[in-house]
Amino acid sequence: MAAKRSGAQSKRSQRPSAGLQPAQEPHSEPPLSRERIVATAVELLDAEGIGGLSMRRLADRLGSGAMSLYWHVDNKEKVFDLALDSVLEYREPPQTGEPRNWRGEVVHMLEDWRASMLRHPWSASLLPRRALGPNILGRLELLSKILSRAGVADADLNVAIWSLWNYVMGATVTRASFELSDDDRAVAQQRLTRLSESYPTIERSRLLLDSDWDGAFSRGLDFMLDGFAARQ
């Protein structure tokens, strides 16, 4: 019996203490967290679009089991919400001490908004139907404050905000989905030239050859802000 007890004690002495964790492998993945899940979801969405994201594929990228994700996010829809809000974070430009120009602030914010969505083209299609997160709500709050400070009346504020929202969304979706090559544009313009009796104005302006997306966005935004200023 003494020999048996000695053997049992020997086996117990070889077990790791309950309070000790096994050493992490040098090349093991970092711990799973909501932040890491969201960052990886953004990478997957950038690479494969909305249709390419599933909890299984996301888990594979993270090197974990799909069920492990549910400790951090409720479902795939929540992943979409978090990924969308993460790419729309906005950092105001540093203050210079000079009087703030409301138009410059609006232009900076909206150009940043458009650029963020163009870097992540899937975001434009998600934005109209996703729950608004803190980053996009923060943008809208700041935009409302800037316009209010510029003299836009409270009765007109919602119209101004939605007009700018629609402008950014429309410009982004059009740019992201318009994939004609220079050769395709030239062929389309030649066809338009042959139909110039029916479409003289857009043929004369060579509309189909105009690919200055950034310039068109900036000038169009100026037109809108001129209208806001004229009402003050």
Side-chain angles (χ1 to χ4, degrees), residues 122-163:
W122 50 270
S123 64
S125 59
L126 280 181
L127 190 54
R129 64 185 185 88
R130 305 309 314 164
L132 298 183
N135 283 326
I136 186 59
L137 290 174
R139 279 184 186 263
L140 295 176
E141 173 66 16
L142 180 57
L143 185 57
S144 297
K145 286 181 177 178
I146 295 170
L147 294 175
S148 183
R149 191 176 71 241
V152 175
D154 286 351
D156 297 329
L157 197 54
N158 287 348
V159 173
I161 293 295
W162 285 121
S163 296

mmCIF file of all heavy atoms in Angstrom, residues 122-163:
data_model
loop_
_atom_site.group_PDB
_atom_site.id
_atom_site.type_symbol
_atom_site.label_atom_id
_atom_site.label_comp_id
_atom_site.label_asym_id
_atom_site.label_seq_id
_atom_site.Cartn_x
_atom_site.Cartn_y
_atom_site.Cartn_z
ATOM 1 N N TRP A 122 -16.895 48.810 -49.229
ATOM 2 C CA TRP A 122 -18.057 48.121 -48.665
ATOM 3 C C TRP A 122 -18.822 48.993 -47.675
ATOM 4 O O TRP A 122 -20.008 48.769 -47.429
ATOM 5 C CB TRP A 122 -17.606 46.833 -47.970
ATOM 6 C CG TRP A 122 -16.456 47.058 -47.024
ATOM 7 C CD1 TRP A 122 -15.120 46.985 -47.306
ATOM 8 C CD2 TRP A 122 -16.544 47.428 -45.644
ATOM 9 N NE1 TRP A 122 -14.360 47.282 -46.203
ATOM 10 C CE2 TRP A 122 -15.213 47.549 -45.160
ATOM 11 C CE3 TRP A 122 -17.593 47.668 -44.761
ATOM 12 C CZ2 TRP A 122 -14.918 47.904 -43.840
ATOM 13 C CZ3 TRP A 122 -17.308 48.019 -43.450
ATOM 14 C CH2 TRP A 122 -15.991 48.142 -43.002
ATOM 15 N N SER A 123 -18.154 49.999 -47.098
ATOM 16 C CA SER A 123 -18.786 50.807 -46.050
ATOM 17 C C SER A 123 -19.950 51.624 -46.574
ATOM 18 O O SER A 123 -20.941 51.838 -45.854
ATOM 19 C CB SER A 123 -17.752 51.727 -45.386
ATOM 20 O OG SER A 123 -17.234 52.661 -46.317
ATOM 21 N N ALA A 124 -19.864 52.082 -47.821
ATOM 22 C CA ALA A 124 -20.937 52.915 -48.359
ATOM 23 C C ALA A 124 -22.241 52.143 -48.472
ATOM 24 O O ALA A 124 -23.329 52.698 -48.241
ATOM 25 C CB ALA A 124 -20.531 53.472 -49.728
ATOM 26 N N SER A 125 -22.156 50.859 -48.809
ATOM 27 C CA SER A 125 -23.379 50.072 -48.935
ATOM 28 C C SER A 125 -23.945 49.659 -47.579
ATOM 29 O O SER A 125 -25.140 49.380 -47.453
ATOM 30 C CB SER A 125 -23.128 48.826 -49.795
ATOM 31 O OG SER A 125 -22.116 48.027 -49.230
ATOM 32 N N LEU A 126 -23.108 49.633 -46.546
ATOM 33 C CA LEU A 126 -23.587 49.287 -45.212
ATOM 34 C C LEU A 126 -24.197 50.474 -44.480
ATOM 35 O O LEU A 126 -25.127 50.321 -43.696
ATOM 36 C CB LEU A 126 -22.447 48.730 -44.357
ATOM 37 C CG LEU A 126 -22.034 47.282 -44.546
ATOM 38 C CD1 LEU A 126 -20.903 46.930 -43.588
ATOM 39 C CD2 LEU A 126 -23.205 46.343 -44.330
ATOM 40 N N LEU A 127 -23.676 51.661 -44.736
ATOM 41 C CA LEU A 127 -24.043 52.820 -43.921
ATOM 42 C C LEU A 127 -25.541 53.107 -43.879
ATOM 43 O O LEU A 127 -26.079 53.403 -42.801
ATOM 44 C CB LEU A 127 -23.263 54.050 -44.391
ATOM 45 C CG LEU A 127 -23.353 55.297 -43.509
ATOM 46 C CD1 LEU A 127 -22.970 54.978 -42.069
ATOM 47 C CD2 LEU A 127 -22.463 56.394 -44.052
ATOM 48 N N PRO A 128 -26.260 53.027 -45.005
ATOM 49 C CA PRO A 128 -27.688 53.383 -44.927
ATOM 50 C C PRO A 128 -28.516 52.441 -44.069
ATOM 51 O O PRO A 128 -29.602 52.811 -43.636
ATOM 52 C CB PRO A 128 -28.143 53.306 -46.397
ATOM 53 C CG PRO A 128 -26.903 53.415 -47.207
ATOM 54 C CD PRO A 128 -25.845 52.757 -46.380
ATOM 55 N N ARG A 129 -28.050 51.219 -43.815
ATOM 56 C CA ARG A 129 -28.912 50.275 -43.122
ATOM 57 C C ARG A 129 -28.330 49.772 -41.801
ATOM 58 O O ARG A 129 -28.914 48.920 -41.145
ATOM 59 C CB ARG A 129 -29.209 49.062 -44.011
ATOM 60 C CG ARG A 129 -28.008 48.219 -44.361
ATOM 61 C CD ARG A 129 -28.377 47.108 -45.332
ATOM 62 N NE ARG A 129 -27.268 46.217 -45.589
ATOM 63 C CZ ARG A 129 -26.984 45.146 -44.851
ATOM 64 N NH1 ARG A 129 -27.724 44.848 -43.802
ATOM 65 N NH2 ARG A 129 -25.963 44.376 -45.158
ATOM 66 N N ARG A 130 -27.184 50.290 -41.383
ATOM 67 C CA ARG A 130 -26.580 49.841 -40.137
ATOM 68 C C ARG A 130 -26.987 50.751 -38.992
ATOM 69 O O ARG A 130 -27.342 51.915 -39.187
ATOM 70 C CB ARG A 130 -25.047 49.843 -40.218
ATOM 71 C CG ARG A 130 -24.450 49.067 -41.351
ATOM 72 C CD ARG A 130 -24.940 47.672 -41.500
ATOM 73 N NE ARG A 130 -24.988 46.931 -40.246
ATOM 74 C CZ ARG A 130 -25.668 45.804 -40.092
ATOM 75 N NH1 ARG A 130 -26.378 45.310 -41.087
ATOM 76 N NH2 ARG A 130 -25.651 45.175 -38.953
ATOM 77 N N ALA A 131 -26.921 50.223 -37.776
ATOM 78 C CA ALA A 131 -27.101 51.052 -36.586
ATOM 79 C C ALA A 131 -25.945 52.049 -36.527
ATOM 80 O O ALA A 131 -24.789 51.678 -36.738
ATOM 81 C CB ALA A 131 -27.108 50.172 -35.342
ATOM 82 N N LEU A 132 -26.265 53.314 -36.267
ATOM 83 C CA LEU A 132 -25.219 54.327 -36.251
ATOM 84 C C LEU A 132 -24.409 54.208 -34.963
ATOM 85 O O LEU A 132 -24.946 54.287 -33.862
ATOM 86 C CB LEU A 132 -25.834 55.729 -36.361
ATOM 87 C CG LEU A 132 -26.614 56.004 -37.646
ATOM 88 C CD1 LEU A 132 -27.097 57.450 -37.668
ATOM 89 C CD2 LEU A 132 -25.757 55.720 -38.874
ATOM 90 N N GLY A 133 -23.094 54.035 -35.108
ATOM 91 C CA GLY A 133 -22.209 53.895 -33.963
ATOM 92 C C GLY A 133 -21.663 55.228 -33.495
ATOM 93 O O GLY A 133 -21.954 56.284 -34.081
ATOM 94 N N PRO A 134 -20.848 55.218 -32.449
ATOM 95 C CA PRO A 134 -20.371 56.467 -31.867
ATOM 96 C C PRO A 134 -19.523 57.319 -32.800
ATOM 97 O O PRO A 134 -19.537 58.549 -32.702
ATOM 98 C CB PRO A 134 -19.565 56.008 -30.646
ATOM 99 C CG PRO A 134 -19.277 54.559 -30.881
ATOM 100 C CD PRO A 134 -20.416 54.035 -31.686
ATOM 101 N N ASN A 135 -18.780 56.701 -33.716
ATOM 102 C CA ASN A 135 -17.937 57.503 -34.602
ATOM 103 C C ASN A 135 -18.763 58.299 -35.607
ATOM 104 O O ASN A 135 -18.508 59.482 -35.832
ATOM 105 C CB ASN A 135 -16.935 56.603 -35.330
ATOM 106 C CG ASN A 135 -15.787 56.190 -34.432
ATOM 107 O OD1 ASN A 135 -15.357 56.946 -33.568
ATOM 108 N ND2 ASN A 135 -15.285 54.982 -34.618
ATOM 109 N N ILE A 136 -19.751 57.646 -36.230
ATOM 110 C CA ILE A 136 -20.566 58.387 -37.195
ATOM 111 C C ILE A 136 -21.468 59.380 -36.475
ATOM 112 O O ILE A 136 -21.705 60.495 -36.959
ATOM 113 C CB ILE A 136 -21.374 57.434 -38.102
ATOM 114 C CG1 ILE A 136 -22.095 58.212 -39.205
ATOM 115 C CG2 ILE A 136 -22.356 56.610 -37.302
ATOM 116 C CD1 ILE A 136 -21.194 59.013 -40.103
ATOM 117 N N LEU A 137 -21.984 59.020 -35.300
ATOM 118 C CA LEU A 137 -22.787 59.971 -34.537
ATOM 119 C C LEU A 137 -21.932 61.162 -34.115
ATOM 120 O O LEU A 137 -22.411 62.306 -34.110
ATOM 121 C CB LEU A 137 -23.399 59.289 -33.310
ATOM 122 C CG LEU A 137 -24.504 58.280 -33.595
ATOM 123 C CD1 LEU A 137 -24.925 57.577 -32.299
ATOM 124 C CD2 LEU A 137 -25.720 58.953 -34.234
ATOM 125 N N GLY A 138 -20.671 60.903 -33.772
ATOM 126 C CA GLY A 138 -19.769 62.001 -33.425
ATOM 127 C C GLY A 138 -19.535 62.933 -34.597
ATOM 128 O O GLY A 138 -19.470 64.158 -34.436
ATOM 129 N N ARG A 139 -19.406 62.368 -35.800
ATOM 130 C CA ARG A 139 -19.260 63.208 -36.996
ATOM 131 C C ARG A 139 -20.489 64.093 -37.187
ATOM 132 O O ARG A 139 -20.378 65.298 -37.461
ATOM 133 C CB ARG A 139 -19.082 62.339 -38.244
ATOM 134 C CG ARG A 139 -17.688 61.802 -38.482
ATOM 135 C CD ARG A 139 -17.644 61.045 -39.808
ATOM 136 N NE ARG A 139 -16.377 60.384 -40.020
ATOM 137 C CZ ARG A 139 -15.373 60.886 -40.751
ATOM 138 N NH1 ARG A 139 -15.498 62.069 -41.311
ATOM 139 N NH2 ARG A 139 -14.257 60.197 -40.911
ATOM 140 N N LEU A 140 -21.665 63.487 -37.064
ATOM 141 C CA LEU A 140 -22.894 64.250 -37.282
ATOM 142 C C LEU A 140 -23.079 65.323 -36.221
ATOM 143 O O LEU A 140 -23.543 66.440 -36.522
ATOM 144 C CB LEU A 140 -24.094 63.301 -37.296
ATOM 145 C CG LEU A 140 -24.128 62.290 -38.449
ATOM 146 C CD1 LEU A 140 -25.307 61.342 -38.292
ATOM 147 C CD2 LEU A 140 -24.185 63.001 -39.801
ATOM 148 N N GLU A 141 -22.703 65.017 -34.997
ATOM 149 C CA GLU A 141 -22.799 66.016 -33.930
ATOM 150 C C GLU A 141 -21.861 67.188 -34.202
ATOM 151 O O GLU A 141 -22.251 68.356 -34.071
ATOM 152 C CB GLU A 141 -22.475 65.373 -32.582
ATOM 153 C CG GLU A 141 -22.381 66.335 -31.406
ATOM 154 C CD GLU A 141 -23.695 67.003 -31.059
ATOM 155 O OE1 GLU A 141 -24.764 66.524 -31.507
ATOM 156 O OE2 GLU A 141 -23.675 68.024 -30.324
ATOM 157 N N LEU A 142 -20.619 66.876 -34.576
ATOM 158 C CA LEU A 142 -19.658 67.941 -34.858
ATOM 159 C C LEU A 142 -20.101 68.764 -36.061
ATOM 160 O O LEU A 142 -20.009 69.996 -36.058
ATOM 161 C CB LEU A 142 -18.273 67.339 -35.097
ATOM 162 C CG LEU A 142 -17.150 68.330 -35.398
ATOM 163 C CD1 LEU A 142 -17.002 69.353 -34.284
ATOM 164 C CD2 LEU A 142 -15.829 67.579 -35.621
ATOM 165 N N LEU A 143 -20.584 68.090 -37.111
ATOM 166 C CA LEU A 143 -21.059 68.801 -38.290
ATOM 167 C C LEU A 143 -22.221 69.728 -37.937
ATOM 168 O O LEU A 143 -22.292 70.871 -38.404
ATOM 169 C CB LEU A 143 -21.478 67.793 -39.357
ATOM 170 C CG LEU A 143 -21.903 68.341 -40.721
ATOM 171 C CD1 LEU A 143 -20.797 69.181 -41.346
ATOM 172 C CD2 LEU A 143 -22.303 67.197 -41.652
ATOM 173 N N SER A 144 -23.132 69.254 -37.090
ATOM 174 C CA SER A 144 -24.264 70.086 -36.669
ATOM 175 C C SER A 144 -23.785 71.312 -35.909
ATOM 176 O O SER A 144 -24.290 72.428 -36.105
ATOM 177 C CB SER A 144 -25.218 69.267 -35.787
ATOM 178 O OG SER A 144 -25.770 68.185 -36.499
ATOM 179 N N LYS A 145 -22.812 71.126 -35.038
ATOM 180 C CA LYS A 145 -22.282 72.261 -34.269
ATOM 181 C C LYS A 145 -21.626 73.297 -35.180
ATOM 182 O O LYS A 145 -21.803 74.501 -34.999
ATOM 183 C CB LYS A 145 -21.267 71.753 -33.241
ATOM 184 C CG LYS A 145 -21.874 71.051 -32.045
ATOM 185 C CD LYS A 145 -20.779 70.607 -31.080
ATOM 186 C CE LYS A 145 -21.382 69.967 -29.841
ATOM 187 N NZ LYS A 145 -20.315 69.482 -28.902
ATOM 188 N N ILE A 146 -20.856 72.809 -36.168
ATOM 189 C CA ILE A 146 -20.170 73.737 -37.082
ATOM 190 C C ILE A 146 -21.192 74.554 -37.871
ATOM 191 O O ILE A 146 -21.069 75.788 -37.983
ATOM 192 C CB ILE A 146 -19.248 72.962 -38.041
ATOM 193 C CG1 ILE A 146 -18.111 72.292 -37.265
ATOM 194 C CG2 ILE A 146 -18.679 73.893 -39.114
ATOM 195 C CD1 ILE A 146 -17.300 71.307 -38.103
ATOM 196 N N LEU A 147 -22.197 73.883 -38.413
ATOM 197 C CA LEU A 147 -23.203 74.583 -39.207
ATOM 198 C C LEU A 147 -24.027 75.534 -38.339
ATOM 199 O O LEU A 147 -24.369 76.649 -38.761
ATOM 200 C CB LEU A 147 -24.117 73.585 -39.908
ATOM 201 C CG LEU A 147 -23.442 72.717 -40.982
ATOM 202 C CD1 LEU A 147 -24.419 71.679 -41.520
ATOM 203 C CD2 LEU A 147 -22.900 73.584 -42.120
ATOM 204 N N SER A 148 -24.334 75.100 -37.127
ATOM 205 C CA SER A 148 -25.079 75.969 -36.222
ATOM 206 C C SER A 148 -24.266 77.209 -35.889
ATOM 207 O O SER A 148 -24.785 78.330 -35.875
ATOM 208 C CB SER A 148 -25.438 75.198 -34.950
ATOM 209 O OG SER A 148 -26.214 75.997 -34.083
ATOM 210 N N ARG A 149 -22.975 77.016 -35.630
ATOM 211 C CA ARG A 149 -22.104 78.155 -35.336
ATOM 212 C C ARG A 149 -21.976 79.080 -36.537
ATOM 213 O O ARG A 149 -21.791 80.296 -36.391
ATOM 214 C CB ARG A 149 -20.719 77.631 -34.926
ATOM 215 C CG ARG A 149 -19.799 78.691 -34.350
ATOM 216 C CD ARG A 149 -18.485 78.102 -33.865
ATOM 217 N NE ARG A 149 -17.635 77.676 -34.964
ATOM 218 C CZ ARG A 149 -17.228 76.438 -35.151
ATOM 219 N NH1 ARG A 149 -17.632 75.473 -34.344
ATOM 220 N NH2 ARG A 149 -16.426 76.148 -36.166
ATOM 221 N N ALA A 150 -22.094 78.516 -37.744
ATOM 222 C CA ALA A 150 -21.999 79.321 -38.963
ATOM 223 C C ALA A 150 -23.273 80.108 -39.239
ATOM 224 O O ALA A 150 -23.301 80.937 -40.150
ATOM 225 C CB ALA A 150 -21.683 78.422 -40.150
ATOM 226 N N GLY A 151 -24.344 79.833 -38.483
ATOM 227 C CA GLY A 151 -25.572 80.601 -38.656
ATOM 228 C C GLY A 151 -26.729 79.852 -39.267
ATOM 229 O O GLY A 151 -27.777 80.448 -39.534
ATOM 230 N N VAL A 152 -26.567 78.548 -39.527
ATOM 231 C CA VAL A 152 -27.691 77.770 -40.041
ATOM 232 C C VAL A 152 -28.735 77.656 -38.931
ATOM 233 O O VAL A 152 -28.430 77.208 -37.825
ATOM 234 C CB VAL A 152 -27.245 76.370 -40.501
ATOM 235 C CG1 VAL A 152 -28.438 75.531 -40.930
ATOM 236 C CG2 VAL A 152 -26.240 76.484 -41.650
ATOM 237 N N ALA A 153 -29.960 78.069 -39.228
ATOM 238 C CA ALA A 153 -31.022 78.070 -38.225
ATOM 239 C C ALA A 153 -31.387 76.646 -37.825
ATOM 240 O O ALA A 153 -31.266 75.711 -38.626
ATOM 241 C CB ALA A 153 -32.252 78.798 -38.763
ATOM 242 N N ASP A 154 -31.846 76.490 -36.594
ATOM 243 C CA ASP A 154 -32.239 75.161 -36.119
ATOM 244 C C ASP A 154 -33.301 74.532 -37.031
ATOM 245 O O ASP A 154 -33.297 73.313 -37.246
ATOM 246 C CB ASP A 154 -32.776 75.247 -34.694
ATOM 247 C CG ASP A 154 -31.674 75.454 -33.667
ATOM 248 O OD1 ASP A 154 -30.490 75.354 -34.036
ATOM 249 O OD2 ASP A 154 -31.992 75.714 -32.489
ATOM 250 N N ALA A 155 -34.187 75.365 -37.572
ATOM 251 C CA ALA A 155 -35.250 74.848 -38.438
ATOM 252 C C ALA A 155 -34.694 74.281 -39.744
ATOM 253 O O ALA A 155 -35.338 73.444 -40.395
ATOM 254 C CB ALA A 155 -36.267 75.947 -38.738
ATOM 255 N N ASP A 156 -33.486 74.719 -40.141
ATOM 256 C CA ASP A 156 -32.878 74.270 -41.391
ATOM 257 C C ASP A 156 -31.764 73.249 -41.172
ATOM 258 O O ASP A 156 -31.210 72.718 -42.147
ATOM 259 C CB ASP A 156 -32.285 75.466 -42.155
ATOM 260 C CG ASP A 156 -33.341 76.466 -42.578
ATOM 261 O OD1 ASP A 156 -34.485 76.039 -42.833
ATOM 262 O OD2 ASP A 156 -33.025 77.674 -42.643
ATOM 263 N N LEU A 157 -31.423 72.998 -39.911
ATOM 264 C CA LEU A 157 -30.228 72.208 -39.622
ATOM 265 C C LEU A 157 -30.346 70.774 -40.147
ATOM 266 O O LEU A 157 -29.409 70.250 -40.763
ATOM 267 C CB LEU A 157 -29.966 72.208 -38.116
ATOM 268 C CG LEU A 157 -28.573 71.777 -37.657
ATOM 269 C CD1 LEU A 157 -27.483 72.593 -38.354
ATOM 270 C CD2 LEU A 157 -28.462 71.923 -36.142
ATOM 271 N N ASN A 158 -31.478 70.132 -39.928
ATOM 272 C CA ASN A 158 -31.635 68.748 -40.385
ATOM 273 C C ASN A 158 -31.557 68.651 -41.905
ATOM 274 O O ASN A 158 -30.966 67.714 -42.457
ATOM 275 C CB ASN A 158 -32.960 68.165 -39.895
ATOM 276 C CG ASN A 158 -32.949 67.870 -38.409
ATOM 277 O OD1 ASN A 158 -31.899 67.893 -37.778
ATOM 278 N ND2 ASN A 158 -34.115 67.612 -37.847
ATOM 279 N N VAL A 159 -32.163 69.628 -42.596
ATOM 280 C CA VAL A 159 -32.102 69.627 -44.064
ATOM 281 C C VAL A 159 -30.650 69.762 -44.523
ATOM 282 O O VAL A 159 -30.206 69.071 -45.452
ATOM 283 C CB VAL A 159 -32.958 70.771 -44.637
ATOM 284 C CG1 VAL A 159 -32.762 70.877 -46.151
ATOM 285 C CG2 VAL A 159 -34.427 70.550 -44.315
ATOM 286 N N ALA A 160 -29.899 70.644 -43.862
ATOM 287 C CA ALA A 160 -28.498 70.837 -44.231
ATOM 288 C C ALA A 160 -27.689 69.565 -44.001
ATOM 289 O O ALA A 160 -26.896 69.155 -44.863
ATOM 290 C CB ALA A 160 -27.908 71.994 -43.431
ATOM 291 N N ILE A 161 -27.905 68.931 -42.847
ATOM 292 C CA ILE A 161 -27.154 67.717 -42.519
ATOM 293 C C ILE A 161 -27.453 66.602 -43.522
ATOM 294 O O ILE A 161 -26.544 65.958 -44.060
ATOM 295 C CB ILE A 161 -27.481 67.233 -41.093
ATOM 296 C CG1 ILE A 161 -26.959 68.233 -40.056
ATOM 297 C CG2 ILE A 161 -26.900 65.847 -40.835
ATOM 298 C CD1 ILE A 161 -25.478 68.370 -40.018
ATOM 299 N N TRP A 162 -28.741 66.366 -43.792
ATOM 300 C CA TRP A 162 -29.099 65.282 -44.705
ATOM 301 C C TRP A 162 -28.663 65.594 -46.136
ATOM 302 O O TRP A 162 -28.318 64.683 -46.901
ATOM 303 C CB TRP A 162 -30.593 64.995 -44.644
ATOM 304 C CG TRP A 162 -30.997 64.259 -43.407
ATOM 305 C CD1 TRP A 162 -31.882 64.663 -42.460
ATOM 306 C CD2 TRP A 162 -30.516 62.976 -42.967
ATOM 307 N NE1 TRP A 162 -31.983 63.732 -41.458
ATOM 308 C CE2 TRP A 162 -31.162 62.682 -41.739
ATOM 309 C CE3 TRP A 162 -29.611 62.055 -43.487
ATOM 310 C CZ2 TRP A 162 -30.922 61.509 -41.028
ATOM 311 C CZ3 TRP A 162 -29.369 60.881 -42.779
ATOM 312 C CH2 TRP A 162 -30.021 60.616 -41.565
ATOM 313 N N SER A 163 -28.672 66.857 -46.511
ATOM 314 C CA SER A 163 -28.198 67.218 -47.860
ATOM 315 C C SER A 163 -26.720 66.878 -48.016
ATOM 316 O O SER A 163 -26.302 66.318 -49.046
ATOM 317 C CB SER A 163 -28.425 68.709 -48.115
ATOM 318 O OG SER A 163 -29.806 69.022 -48.118
#
